[in-house]
Amino acid sequence: MFPESNAAPGYTYDECRATADWLSSRLSVRPLVGIVCGSGLGRLADGLKDQVVFKYSDIPNFPKSTVHGHAGRLVFGTLKGTPCVCMQGRFHLYEGYPIQKITLPIRVFKLMGVETVILTNAAGGLNQDYRVGDVMIIKDHINMPGFAGINPLAGPNEDKFGVRFPCMSDAYNRKLVRLAQEVGSELGFSDFLREGVYCVLGGPSFETIAECRMLNKLGADAVGMSTVHEAIVARHCGMRVFALSLISNQAVMDYESEERANHEEVLQTGDERAQQLEKFVATFISRLEHDAATH
Ligand code: HPA
């Protein structure tokens, strides 16, 4: 699977460092929170004050985002006084990048000083109690590509980031899940807030009916094509992770159904919930304690 040189197909520590230094030298504040905006959720970045914006195409080593609905910009700024960095648009396996390259920005976040990563995505609802527009707090994941050896940490380990065999039973910080539940009920969002398991697949084709039924039986509440690789890399280098899925469509589980998953529906649902999600994320961030030593 790996070239004879045994070199990682991703970026070296020095390359990540070079990208982080390039960005840091153009900023006056270090971000403490890193946010990744999923499909249709790019507006989360619009609430940042005192913005400094970089196009991915201008940042050394950054891959280019090729997906409709993803802006391809890195936005720095403050949310209720907390310095943040926001990826408007992420990189996916289905774009053809090696998995180790997709997660470069997460390591760059770490090197710039980020302590907490907030990952968002649009996902198909597998849990039959879920409705389109629900927001699922991710409490755990199933890494399907990982079962086949497709893992962002495959290849030589970068010891400067973390250990060879990182634990994943605490991938999604439980204190942050509780905080999100509190914030959700304070804001009156409890009736559409859920907590569940996210399953990642490679995409880009949506799932068949048989696949959806299988994933649901295996314990997945929602299915998508992102987030898990970023969560693994963030945990590997010691950042705490909080993640949300916006249920943008019901995964089709029934052969009689006339429903068909499509990307336009995914983007439209994002638009409709965007304002509430913005408020939710801003309030959540304002309540974070910034003390990396206690994570
Ligand atoms: N399946 C996979 N990925 C998705 C879906 C889906 O139904 N909706 C949004 N992203």
Side-chain angles (χ1 to χ4, degrees), residues 203-220:
S205 47
F206 286 113
E207 303 70 43
T208 63
I209 292 170
E211 286 164 346
C212 289
R213 288 178 169 192
M214 179 193 80
L215 296 176
N216 190 222
K217 282 205 174 103
L218 291 181

Side-chain angles (χ1 to χ4, degrees), residues 15-230:
E15 283 167 322
C16 297
R17 179 95 258 167
T19 303
D21 289 349
W22 187 92
L23 287 163
S24 294
S25 69
R26 287 161 174 77
L27 296 162
S28 52
V29 262
R30 291 164 73 83
L32 285 173
V33 177
I35 306 164
V36 181
C37 304
S39 298
L41 298 171
R43 281 216 302 236
L44 288 175
D46 295 343
L48 296 190
K49 290 222 174 80
D50 304 322
Q51 291 192 4
V52 181
V53 181
F54 300 91
K55 282 195 282 184
Y56 291 165
S57 52
D58 292 336
I59 305 173
N61 294 328
F62 252 57
K64 285 166 197 59
S65 179
T66 63
V67 189
H68 169 49
H70 291 267
R73 304 181 332 151
L74 198 59
V75 183
F76 291 85
T78 56
L79 251 184
K80 296 200 174 167
T82 303
C84 296
V85 52
C86 207
M87 282 183 78
Q88 270 186 324
R90 55 151 61 86
F91 308 111
H92 305 82
L93 263 183
Y94 61 74
E95 291 172 87
Y97 304 112
I99 191 165
Q100 291 83 355
K101 296 214 167 188
I102 290 169
T103 46
L104 164 89
I106 302 297
R107 287 183 160 174
V108 170
F109 284 2
K110 169 72 182 181
L111 294 175
M112 295 187 77
V114 167
E115 298 173 349
T116 309
V117 174
I118 300 176
L119 307 171
T120 69
N121 63 52
L126 294 165
N127 185 317
Q128 293 304 286
D129 294 336
Y130 287 8
R131 297 284 159 263
V132 169
D134 282 354
V135 174
M136 183 184 88
I137 297 169
I138 300 181
K139 69 171 180 194
D140 205 349
H141 72 224
I142 299 174
N143 178 15
M144 276 291 177
F147 290 7
I150 302 172
N151 186 301
L153 303 177
N157 188 52
E158 276 289 357
D159 296 336
K160 286 183 186 152
F161 284 117
V163 297
R164 171 75 289 189
F165 300 110
C167 175
M168 285 294 141
S169 54
D170 58 353
Y172 302 90
N173 188 285
R174 294 200 182 96
K175 263 199 214 161
L176 296 187
V177 169
R178 280 198 295 276
L179 174 62
Q181 290 287 10
E182 270 168 43
V183 168
S185 62
E186 282 166 30
L187 295 176
F189 293 169
S190 296
D191 53 336
F192 65 84
L193 205 57
R194 315 283 192 156
E195 203 175 298
V197 175
Y198 176 85
C199 178
V200 64
L201 301 180
S205 47
F206 286 113
E207 303 70 43
T208 63
I209 292 170
E211 286 164 346
C212 289
R213 288 178 169 192
M214 179 193 80
L215 296 176
N216 190 222
K217 282 205 174 103
L218 291 181
D221 297 296
V223 58
M225 305 172 191
S226 67
T227 303
V228 167
H229 326 310
E230 296 151 352

